[in-house]
Amino acid sequence: MRKITSIAWTLALGGCLGLSAGWSEELPTPEKAAEKIEAAVEEKALEAEAETKREIAEEAAAEATEEGAEAPAVPIPFQMPQWKMVTDEELTEALKLPEKATAEELLQFIRDTDSLRPANLEEKDPAKQEAQVKAFLAKVFEARIAAADKMLEDTELSAELKRTALSIQVMSLLTLSQIDPANAEKLYALAEELRKGDDKELSWSVDAMLIQYEMSQTKEMPTAEEYQSHVKKLLDHMKKGIEWKCLDQAFVGTVAQVVMISEQMLPVKEAVAVFNQFLEVLRSSEEKPMQQLADSLESVKKRLEMTGQVLDYTFQGMDGKAIPVKDFAGKNLLIVFWAISDQNSLEEIPLLMQLYDFYHEKGLEVIAVTVDEDNDELRQMLEKVGFKWNTVVNLSQKDAEGEEKVVSPAEYFGITSLPLKIFVGTDGKVVSANMPLMELLDTLEKAYGPLPKESTEEVADEAVEKAIDEAVEETVEEVDAEKP
């Protein structure tokens, strides 16, 4: 079983709490808050520029009309977000609920709060800045809840506006719970009320957010048991969404992300079981996107199931010659999927080349499959780098009889992240269908002995790095030069 970092777990949950627009989208870190302020200034400048261009175009159109000529079409300028920078005093004034307001006016008040941004943030002390942002957000979302409460006091409120007001309450409480977990009690109480109502779709959506909120509150990496518990809750809720015909695709995306890291969280057999459970739920839906997602995940599951099995596959080299995996019997074979367009791959390839140089004579073979789009520029770049190992471009393969294409290597092996390494042992069986770099280093050391001291200290070959960088730069320049 492989370890997965807390960062990877956070990324797997990325975007799971899909909130409303503006500040509702996320609880900014101090760095993000500063970026928002800087972006606001830039957008204001762009907005002013667009307004000037619009005025010039309108004047030109008016002059043309006066002269009897056909007026040129006046372009509609891009509408930049209208952010309003406010001090604490101005915020208090802006968040005062309008008196004797209609539901529509209250809804507009809520929307207007999305434009508010804190002025005079502490720039030197990140902790103080974060506290300022949290305090600002708390006031904004408490005002939104108050406005939604006032909307719901209207006994003649339409069903659509009632749902909108309830959704605003949920979103606001969710954000407040992220600021201070003590607010979660109100959120759960509201969710319980909604479960008793007739709006199944809203109730399902709220419960979906709660499940993901609970997962996001995990401070440490979940254990295997906790992870499987999370997956079960997600899959059970997916089933309910399919049954009630209110399944949200964003929620499906979150489930898919969590399922995808099962191969890092669990032993292979248990990871395959998780995939099977997810695929079963996907297949139970008649929706075409769900079936397509299931089809795409089948190859990932198939790759996991290769572990412990003899790998019978034939790659096609850049020269068109067949490269059967069985030809490497008696040697360890590393199959690397990478891309020149992927920064993580570029950082890892020099070390892999160093491993190949040192261990090749001892019995290590490498097949490197680049998943970039196959074209002349890519091939020229790969030739310039001068890889000594077997290089494969991601071409559609032919079957054993040479008939028309089956699938490309990346499709066949279900490659969803880069770089990805498959390790095949001397017996031809897959040792790992997704081997981490550190595990690869340990495996090679056990098989052939440790790297020389200078190699372990200097993990990246500067000459190779430079060759790759130059090749990438030349190709980019060539592509730019060909642009009209």
Side-chain angles (χ1 to χ4, degrees):
M1 183 176 67
R2 209 170 308 141
K3 297 289 184 181
I4 178 172
T5 65
S6 57
I7 293 177
W9 174 249
T10 302
L11 290 175
L13 297 178
C16 68
L17 298 174
L19 307 180
S20 58
W23 283 107
S24 316
E25 292 177 354
E26 60 182 339
L27 179 59
T29 61
E31 293 78 9
K32 286 186 178 179
E35 288 173 7
K36 284 179 179 286
I37 305 281
E38 184 178 347
V41 174
E42 182 178 352
E43 287 178 357
K44 284 292 183 183
L46 289 173
E47 183 184 5
E49 181 182 354
E51 179 64 20
T52 300
K53 289 180 179 179
R54 185 185 67 77
E55 290 175 356
I56 293 173
E58 287 178 345
E59 289 175 5
E63 290 176 4
T65 303
E66 288 175 3
E67 296 172 0
E70 183 178 349
V74 178
I76 299 175
F78 174 71
Q79 296 298 310
M80 303 300 293
Q82 299 291 316
W83 286 1
K84 184 178 180 181
M85 313 302 291
V86 295
T87 62
D88 289 342
E89 294 75 15
E90 292 170 332
L91 177 65
T92 300
E93 188 65 28
L95 295 181
K96 285 183 179 178
L97 289 181
E99 296 182 6
K100 298 180 181 179
T102 64
E104 288 79 5
E105 290 170 336
L106 288 166
L107 183 57
Q108 185 57 52
F109 165 83
I110 293 170
R111 289 170 177 159
D112 289 343
T113 63
D114 266 338
S115 67
L116 302 177
R117 295 293 184 274
N120 305 320
L121 282 177
E122 170 65 47
E123 296 182 3
K124 296 182 179 180
D125 189 335
K128 288 183 179 179
Q129 187 183 88
E130 182 177 6
Q132 283 180 296
V133 171
K134 286 185 175 181
F136 186 95
L137 289 173
K139 292 176 182 178
V140 169
F141 284 97
E142 285 166 1
R144 289 165 76 103
I145 291 174
D149 286 340
K150 201 167 183 179
M151 287 177 66
L152 292 169
E153 291 175 2
D154 186 350
T155 56
E156 298 181 0
L157 194 64
S158 67
E160 182 181 356
L161 283 176
K162 181 177 180 181
R163 169 184 274 202
T164 299
L166 289 170
S167 298
I168 289 168
Q169 285 185 325
V170 172
M171 298 293 192
S172 299
L173 283 171
L174 188 56
T175 302
L176 289 172
S177 297
Q178 290 176 299
I179 296 172
D180 182 359
N183 291 296
E185 186 176 341
K186 297 177 183 177
L187 177 61
Y188 282 96
L190 177 56
E192 185 60 35
E193 284 184 31
L194 294 175
R195 292 188 195 106
K196 299 174 183 177
D198 298 326
D199 194 335
K200 285 188 173 182
E201 184 175 350
L202 179 59
S203 175
W204 182 90
S205 297
V206 172
D207 283 338
M209 292 178 199
L210 287 179
I211 293 171
Q212 295 169 99
Y213 168 72
E214 290 167 359
M215 292 171 64
S216 71
Q217 294 304 295
T218 305
K219 302 301 181 183
E220 302 290 336
M221 275 303 305
T223 63
E225 292 74 19
E226 289 170 336
Y227 168 78
Q228 289 179 310
S229 176
H230 288 319
V231 171
K232 185 178 186 308
K233 286 182 181 179
L234 291 168
L235 293 180
D236 285 347
H237 204 60
M238 265 190 70
K239 292 177 186 176
K240 186 182 291 186
I242 293 172
E243 179 186 343
W244 289 0
K245 299 187 183 302
C246 61
L247 183 61
D248 177 68
Q249 291 301 314
F251 183 79
V252 177
T254 295
V255 182
Q257 288 179 311
V258 173
V259 168
M260 289 298 294
I261 63 172
S262 63
E263 60 179 305
Q264 296 170 289
M265 295 290 297
L266 305 171
V268 175
K269 288 185 178 179
E270 293 179 21
V272 170
V274 168
F275 266 87
N276 282 330
Q277 292 163 18
F278 186 38
L279 289 168
E280 182 182 351
V281 176
L282 289 172
R283 297 293 187 197
S284 69
S285 170
E286 297 177 358
E287 297 292 329
K288 187 175 180 180
M290 301 281 275
Q291 297 301 319
Q292 291 174 331
L293 177 58
D295 291 341
S296 66
L297 290 178
E298 286 286 357
S299 58
V300 180
K301 188 191 78 161
K302 181 177 70 175
R303 170 168 53 80
L304 293 178
E305 291 175 327
M306 292 176 183
T307 306
Q309 304 297 316
V310 173
L311 181 58
D312 183 14
Y313 187 81
T314 299
F315 292 94
Q316 180 181 327
M318 288 178 62
D319 56 4
K321 293 181 180 179
I323 307 176
V325 171
K326 63 182 180 182
D327 285 359
F328 299 98
K331 298 183 177 182
N332 285 310
L333 173 63
L334 176 65
I335 303 170
V336 183
F337 289 86
W338 72 293
I340 288 175
S341 56
D342 175 61
Q343 183 61 35
N344 291 330
S345 296
L346 292 180
E347 291 174 357
E348 193 169 288
I349 285 293
L351 173 57
L352 295 180
M353 290 190 70
Q354 202 169 41
L355 294 175
Y356 177 82
D357 286 342
F358 184 71
Y359 289 127
H360 177 58
E361 291 185 1
K362 298 175 181 290
L364 175 66
E365 294 288 350
V366 173
I367 297 175
V369 186
T370 175
V371 301
D372 294 285
E373 181 182 353
D374 181 38
N375 52 46
D376 291 339
E377 288 81 7
L378 172 66
R379 288 171 177 267
Q380 290 172 11
M381 185 184 302
L382 294 174
E383 288 173 3
K384 286 179 181 178
V385 174
F387 291 127
K388 299 175 184 178
W389 54 39
N390 298 283
T391 302
V392 174
V393 288
N394 197 38
L395 287 169
S396 297
Q397 307 288 290
K398 294 182 179 180
D399 60 23
E401 286 72 37
E403 295 298 326
E404 275 310 302
K405 73 169 188 176
V406 191
V407 292
S408 67
E411 290 177 289
Y412 182 85
F413 288 96
I415 305 304
T416 58
S417 63
L418 297 173
L420 187 141
K421 297 174 287 297
I422 298 173
F423 194 82
V424 182
T426 55
D427 57 1
K429 295 181 180 180
V430 175
V431 176
S432 173
N434 186 356
M435 181 173 277
L437 183 59
M438 293 309 297
E439 187 176 328
L440 172 64
L441 293 173
D442 290 341
T443 300
L444 294 177
E445 184 173 333
K446 290 176 182 177
Y448 306 120
L451 284 168
K453 188 167 185 273
E454 59 271 18
S455 294
T456 55
E457 291 175 351
E458 187 66 36
V459 288
D461 181 13
E462 293 182 4
V464 174
E465 281 188 330
K466 183 178 179 182
I468 292 177
D469 290 342
E470 289 178 352
V472 171
E473 186 176 343
E474 284 183 23
T475 300
V476 170
E477 289 176 354
E478 289 172 5
V479 173
D480 288 342
E482 293 174 1
K483 290 180 180 178

